[in-house]
Amino acid sequence: MFHCPIQIIQRSQGKSAVAAAAYRSGEKLVNEWDGLTHDYTRKGGVVHTEIMLPSHAPPEFQDRSTLWNSVEQIEKSSDAQLAREIEVALPVELSRAEQLALVRSFVKDNFVDAGMCADFAIHDKGTGNPHAHIMLTIRPIREDGKWGAKCRKVYDLDSQGQRIPDGKGGWKSHREDTTDWNQRGNAEKWRVAWAAYTNRALEAAGRPEHIDHRSYKRQGVDKIPTVHMGPAASQMERRGIVTDKGNINREIAADNKLLKEIKARITRLYNWSREQSTQPQGRESIMDFLFQAKQDTAPTSRYGKVKALQADAKLFNFLMENGIKSMPELFDKVAAMNSDYYDLRGKIVSKERRISALTERLEMWAQYQKYKPVRQKLDKVAPGKREQFEQRHSADLALFDAAVRYLDTLKASGEAITPKVWRAEAQMRSMREDIKAVEILKKTAERLAREGQTQRREEQER
């Protein structure tokens, strides 16, 4: 599975580079910027950690605490961007040595060679979800080993190459980044690179699997993407415990199967009706045409006559309801069904993604509720015992803070925090109108397909 999210670790979101490095490496680190200790030495599943540096970086940056505390100290603002993190899913088909070699080559060629310091950790709890966290410095390092500036002031010039007055006694100017690391196109470039490096590693290992960084839509694949399960849900599913995410993915798999079948049927009907509409008899009344065809192949048994009568009644109702009187009109109807298929598919995709978003919101709300009492206890702890309490409950407090940041982001975007509404909307997935429309379309396609097969047999017998 391709999984390569990219995020910025920044103070404005209550995060620190030291805390992030401690968690990902499973170490105990002290953040000298705010004095907080982050102890994750009891964290399981950290199977490898490593720091990779460009040639001109200070050798002491090989120490994790020195590297990230240096980053924290050089950044003075309360909303500073401290580090970039890229998380990648590692192929389970590769051995640990092959996974490590894959991450090293990807990090060296794409980041270290460009001048970034990289700190990566491979996590694997044996639950089938091995992955790597890659932390990268954002501020460049000068050739003398000192931190450089992230951006520089550039004066605006007129057509004559002269500075432009700003009307306040100064000159108009703008800021430019000193590196190209923050360019928008980098996310796509790095995702493409990860897919390419992974596929080369799989091929070298003699494996037939491959990954693609593009969405199904960009690949031209008529398929709804599944939601990311995550380690907890994946492990529960393997134990036979049904999860919401597992149910969503099973629904998506059923939708994909149904959509594939419908498209195949509509395509056959489209081709047949187009061919029939161009024939001379296609301009005649479709009722006269069908009546003559039935006369030529009329059943003789009582059972056969009853079945034929039922089929004729269903087809007659369909034709009347849609105002179809000739083969060209039937072709137009099937062509419209073909167009509606793509609209329907898009609606289902958006609905599945909405369900995924609702599930995530409910999970974060539950996380907020679960660890809120721990935070409330912290507020009541005496100042002298506060640090000890924070260290003892660091994991719970980190999960609470993460939930708070998630919910605050929702509120900042104008989204109301309404868990009851979220639950009600998520439970409505069994009543989706989209699926009802697909089922109606499927029944119609099957009915027309049977008529098409009868028509072709009759033509062959003539």
Side-chain angles (χ1 to χ4, degrees), residues 374-441:
V374 181
R375 177 67 196 196
Q376 290 174 333
K377 288 182 181 179
L378 173 63
D379 294 337
K380 299 177 181 179
V381 172
K385 298 181 179 180
R386 187 179 181 88
E387 183 177 353
Q388 183 180 0
F389 184 91
E390 288 178 335
Q391 292 181 8
R392 190 164 61 250
H393 300 281
S394 60
D396 292 351
L397 291 171
L399 289 170
F400 175 78
D401 290 341
V404 169
R405 289 194 297 271
Y406 179 89
L407 296 172
D408 285 345
T409 301
L410 281 183
K411 288 191 288 186
S413 65
E415 181 81 26
I417 307 302
T418 53
K420 291 183 179 179
V421 176
W422 295 342
R423 291 192 191 98
E425 188 173 350
Q427 290 168 357
M428 289 175 60
R429 56 180 174 264
S430 62
M431 302 173 63
R432 292 174 297 179
E433 292 300 321
D434 298 335
I435 296 302
K436 291 181 180 179
V438 174
E439 290 171 347
I440 294 172
L441 192 58

Side-chain angles (χ1 to χ4, degrees), residues 73-291:
Q73 295 293 347
I74 195 67
E75 302 297 346
K76 306 301 182 184
S77 65
S78 59
D79 62 348
Q81 294 186 346
L82 304 170
R84 177 178 287 106
E85 183 192 32
I86 300 177
E87 182 183 336
V88 291
L90 300 174
V92 295
E93 296 81 6
L94 299 180
S95 67
R96 179 72 70 236
E98 290 169 337
Q99 292 173 346
L100 180 55
L102 167 61
V103 176
R104 279 177 177 157
S105 62
F106 173 67
V107 171
K108 176 185 178 301
D109 295 346
N110 291 276
F111 308 113
V112 177
D113 287 354
M116 303 179 210
C117 299
D119 181 5
F120 74 85
I122 294 179
H123 292 182
D124 189 356
K125 293 184 177 181
T127 58
N129 183 39
H131 57 279
H133 294 271
I134 306 167
M135 287 183 61
L136 305 165
T137 52
I138 293 178
R139 182 179 291 270
I141 298 178
R142 302 196 307 251
E143 289 300 323
D144 61 1
K146 304 295 184 180
W147 291 112
K150 290 181 179 177
C151 58
R152 56 176 171 263
K153 182 178 181 180
V154 178
Y155 290 103
D156 297 333
L157 304 178
D158 59 21
S159 59
Q160 305 299 319
Q162 301 297 315
R163 293 181 184 181
I164 303 173
D166 62 4
K168 301 177 182 179
W171 309 96
K172 291 184 178 181
S173 63
H174 63 277
R175 293 184 178 274
E176 287 185 356
D177 290 339
T178 55
T179 68
D180 61 357
W181 301 346
N182 286 329
Q183 289 184 358
R184 288 184 176 274
N186 281 340
E188 175 76 0
K189 182 178 72 174
W190 294 332
R191 288 165 61 85
V192 170
W194 175 248
Y197 277 63
T198 301
N199 289 333
R200 281 201 296 269
L202 288 167
E203 184 179 357
R207 301 292 308 190
E209 297 86 0
H210 76 282
I211 63 174
D212 197 312
H213 73 285
R214 298 171 299 170
S215 64
Y216 284 145
K217 183 176 181 180
R218 289 175 61 190
Q219 294 179 54
V221 176
D222 255 341
K223 196 173 181 182
I224 302 170
T226 55
V227 299
H228 183 62
M229 291 285 288
S234 297
Q235 188 173 9
M236 292 173 67
E237 288 284 338
R238 278 192 292 272
R239 293 177 177 174
I241 303 173
V242 176
T243 65
D244 287 339
K245 288 184 178 179
N247 286 336
I248 291 172
N249 280 343
R250 280 183 282 275
E251 289 180 9
I252 292 175
D255 288 345
N256 280 328
K257 182 178 180 181
L258 184 59
L259 287 169
K260 183 178 180 180
E261 178 185 350
I262 291 170
K263 184 181 180 182
R265 289 182 179 277
I266 292 177
T267 300
R268 289 195 295 269
L269 291 170
Y270 179 85
N271 293 334
W272 170 77
S273 61
R274 180 176 58 183
E275 179 183 352
Q276 293 297 318
S277 68
T278 60
Q279 301 298 320
Q281 67 271 24
R283 299 294 171 180
E284 301 172 0
S285 167
I286 195 170
M287 292 303 175
D288 293 340
F289 176 78
L290 292 173
F291 178 77

Side-chain angles (χ1 to χ4, degrees), residues 228-370:
H228 183 62
M229 291 285 288
S234 297
Q235 188 173 9
M236 292 173 67
E237 288 284 338
R238 278 192 292 272
R239 293 177 177 174
I241 303 173
V242 176
T243 65
D244 287 339
K245 288 184 178 179
N247 286 336
I248 291 172
N249 280 343
R250 280 183 282 275
E251 289 180 9
I252 292 175
D255 288 345
N256 280 328
K257 182 178 180 181
L258 184 59
L259 287 169
K260 183 178 180 180
E261 178 185 350
I262 291 170
K263 184 181 180 182
R265 289 182 179 277
I266 292 177
T267 300
R268 289 195 295 269
L269 291 170
Y270 179 85
N271 293 334
W272 170 77
S273 61
R274 180 176 58 183
E275 179 183 352
Q276 293 297 318
S277 68
T278 60
Q279 301 298 320
Q281 67 271 24
R283 299 294 171 180
E284 301 172 0
S285 167
I286 195 170
M287 292 303 175
D288 293 340
F289 176 78
L290 292 173
F291 178 77
Q292 183 61 43
K294 292 299 179 183
Q295 288 292 99
D296 295 339
T297 59
T300 56
S301 67
R302 181 176 180 278
Y303 176 78
K305 290 179 180 179
V306 171
K307 294 293 289 183
L309 184 61
Q310 292 174 339
D312 289 345
K314 291 179 180 179
L315 180 58
F316 177 80
N317 288 336
F318 170 74
L319 295 173
M320 291 297 98
E321 289 171 0
N322 291 278
I324 299 173
K325 299 179 180 179
S326 65
M327 282 295 180
E329 290 176 343
L330 178 60
F331 169 70
D332 291 341
K333 175 59 181 177
V334 177
M337 290 165 61
N338 191 40
S339 176
D340 290 343
Y341 161 81
Y342 291 98
D343 292 339
L344 183 60
R345 177 185 173 276
K347 291 177 182 178
I348 293 177
V349 170
S350 63
K351 189 64 177 178
E352 296 296 357
R353 289 178 179 168
R354 174 60 176 168
I355 292 171
S356 176
L358 289 169
T359 301
E360 182 182 32
R361 291 178 184 184
L362 289 170
E363 288 177 349
M364 295 305 292
W365 175 255
Q367 183 172 309
Y368 170 82
Q369 292 288 84
K370 181 178 180 180

